């Protein structure tokens, strides 16, 4: 006999990448927590998972419960469909970042988006003419040939 599917919470974990008091936008990292694992996206490795609220590049800010998915199997199926789109070489701080992954994952699971303030700074960076003045390593297509170890998201002071 088959197992009974149980609804599973979908939680967005938000981290500060710098010491900040954001007013309209800020530098944030996100991961989507499902069944005791947090899924995110980074340059080099693509989609990865960690223990919830333990991202190394940021300071945990808050968890936001966004809804429930029918089962963990549904969530893993959606994750498997998204992985090819979010391979490590596709990462760009402005054009395809961890928040874009979280947004795509949550939309596919729940038919809703993550809160707009989370990725507002990157969306502003995508706007014309701002994108014309971005340094080469922040433009679409990656990090200028640097590996993630050579090009951290942001350096801490």
């Amino acid at each position: 006999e088959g197992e009974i599917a149980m609804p599973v919470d979908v939680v967005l974990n938000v981290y500060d990448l710098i010491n900040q008091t954001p007013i309209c936008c800020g530098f944030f990292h996100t991961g989507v927590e499902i069944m005791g694992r947090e899924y995110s996206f980074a340059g080099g490795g693509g989609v990865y998972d960690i223990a919830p609220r333990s991202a190394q590049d940021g300071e945990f800010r808050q968890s936001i419960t966004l809804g429930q998915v029918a089962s963990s199997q549904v969530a893993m199926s959606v994750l498997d469909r998204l992985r090819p789109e979010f391979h490590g070489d596709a990462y760009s701080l402005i054009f395809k970042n961890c928040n874009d992954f979280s947004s795509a994952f949550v939309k596919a699971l729940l038919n809703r988006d993550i809160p707009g303030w989370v990725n507002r700074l990157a969306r502003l960076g995508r706007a014309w003419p701002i994108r014309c003045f971005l340094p080469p390593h922040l433009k679409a297509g990656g990090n200028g040939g640097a590996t993630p170890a050579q090009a951290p998201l942001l350096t801490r002071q």
Side-chain angles (χ1 to χ4, degrees), residues 49-101:
D49 66 288
I50 58 172
R53 298 171 301 284
S54 67
Q56 295 180 8
D57 289 336
E59 184 174 330
F60 178 73
R61 170 180 275 271
Q62 71 184 99
S63 292
I64 304 167
T65 301
L66 297 173
Q68 290 187 325
V69 66
S71 69
S72 59
Q73 291 82 6
V74 169
M76 294 306 100
S77 175
V78 167
L79 185 64
D80 289 342
R81 282 197 325 263
L82 286 176
R83 280 183 196 277
E85 181 183 343
F86 289 91
H87 57 87
D89 292 340
Y91 185 89
S92 166
L93 184 61
I94 303 295
F95 295 96
K96 192 174 222 170
N97 61 43
C98 59
N99 302 318
D100 295 306
F101 166 76

Side-chain angles (χ1 to χ4, degrees), residues 105-119:
F105 194 19
V106 169
K107 282 180 183 175
L109 289 170
L110 303 174
N111 200 30
R112 66 169 287 191
D113 205 351
I114 64 175
W117 57 267
V118 171
N119 208 24

Side-chain angles (χ1 to χ4, degrees), residues 17-34:
L17 289 174
I18 61 172
N19 188 6
Q20 62 186 333
T21 305
I23 295 173
C24 74
C25 54
F27 289 103
F28 301 109
H29 168 76
T30 58
V32 178
E33 180 182 344
I34 297 173

